[in-house]
Amino acid sequence: WRVFPLPSDIQREIRTFFNGKSILELSIADVAFASLSPPKTFGLQVSKDVFVNGKDLSQQLGNVLDIPKKLRADLDEYQKQGVALLVQTLKSTGGVILADEMGLGKTIQVIAAILKISPSTENPVLIICPTSLIANWCNEIQKFSPSLSVNVHRGVNRAGVISSLKTADIVLSTYDTIVSDELLFRGIKWGCIVCDEAQALKNP
């Protein structure tokens, strides 16, 4: 083996190429960009493991997933894989889209993933959905994970202070309410944000 010291300016070159980010801050998108347009100032090798497709990864992760004991449900194999992929992708990239047909259990997969995140009143999970789905979310959380407390933030009687949102593990609200109370919601460090029927986000 031959060992060569790295140039003293390598950190600066990396940060310049990745727009100010360090190695530890890189996302999958950053790595994908770098692999398509490699830097000219330093060499770059990307492991094949970085770009494992979602189906293969979910099957691998589903086999080793530790289902939360507080979940009152028996998940099908594909649901376990979905939960595992949700949790792993959130950890590695900070966001994930779960798209599936109706009736296959997306809600219970999200609830199981929330349990793995272990929300608290200090860092609650925010679930945003259409008004018509508020009751469904409340019922599903109560049915499958009654240990999670829920605060429904909507309607004319909702409180207007940040402390009112830090009273439960999960804050449930609607897209319209989020727009109206944007400054209030910005004041909390959310453990995770779930957007149900997320096509609503295309409307500014």
Side-chain angles (χ1 to χ4, degrees):
W1 290 87
R2 293 183 180 182
V3 178
F4 297 93
L6 290 172
S8 59
D9 61 350
I10 188 65
Q11 280 290 340
R12 186 182 72 238
E13 293 292 336
I14 291 171
R15 284 185 178 275
T16 300
F17 181 76
F18 288 109
N19 297 318
K21 292 183 180 179
S22 74
I23 287 291
L24 299 177
E25 298 170 321
L26 298 182
S27 67
I28 292 294
D30 294 324
V31 177
F33 168 76
S35 66
L36 293 173
S37 303
K40 296 176 181 176
T41 53
F42 58 90
L44 178 72
Q45 290 182 325
V46 180
S47 169
K48 293 179 181 178
D49 295 339
V50 172
F51 297 112
V52 175
N53 69 58
K55 181 178 180 182
D56 291 343
L57 180 60
S58 67
Q59 288 175 346
Q60 294 168 16
L61 295 171
N63 292 332
V64 296
L65 175 68
D66 180 25
I67 299 296
K69 292 181 173 60
K70 293 182 179 179
L71 184 70
R72 292 188 176 178
D74 293 322
L75 299 181
D76 290 323
E77 198 58 39
Y78 73 89
Q79 292 173 323
K80 292 179 183 177
Q81 293 173 7
V83 174
L85 188 62
L86 282 172
V87 173
Q88 177 63 27
T89 310
L90 282 173
K91 285 181 180 177
S92 60
T93 69
V96 61
I97 296 174
L98 178 61
D100 214 337
E101 295 182 28
M102 289 181 63
L104 295 183
K106 291 187 294 295
T107 303
I108 193 171
Q109 290 178 58
V110 170
I111 291 171
I114 289 172
L115 283 168
K116 294 288 284 184
I117 294 169
S118 299
S120 66
T121 54
E122 192 58 32
N123 297 113
V125 167
L126 173 61
I127 298 177
I128 313 168
C129 64
T131 304
S132 60
L133 295 179
I134 290 279
N136 181 66
W137 270 104
C138 288
N139 292 337
E140 296 282 280
I141 293 169
Q142 178 60 36
K143 177 180 178 182
F144 296 119
S145 183
S147 63
L148 292 172
S149 54
V150 179
N151 174 6
V152 177
H153 181 83
R154 64 176 291 269
V156 294
N157 295 322
R158 66 185 186 274
V161 293
I162 291 177
S163 59
S164 69
L165 296 177
K166 291 187 170 185
T167 60
D169 302 315
I170 296 175
V171 175
L172 195 53
S173 195
T174 66
Y175 288 100
D176 290 340
T177 304
I178 294 293
V179 173
S180 299
D181 294 355
E182 179 183 350
L183 292 178
L184 184 65
F185 282 88
R186 281 182 181 271
I188 293 183
K189 183 175 175 61
W190 300 100
C192 175
I193 299 176
V194 177
C195 299
D196 193 3
E197 298 293 340
Q199 68 270 13
L201 295 175
K202 69 186 178 185
N203 185 338

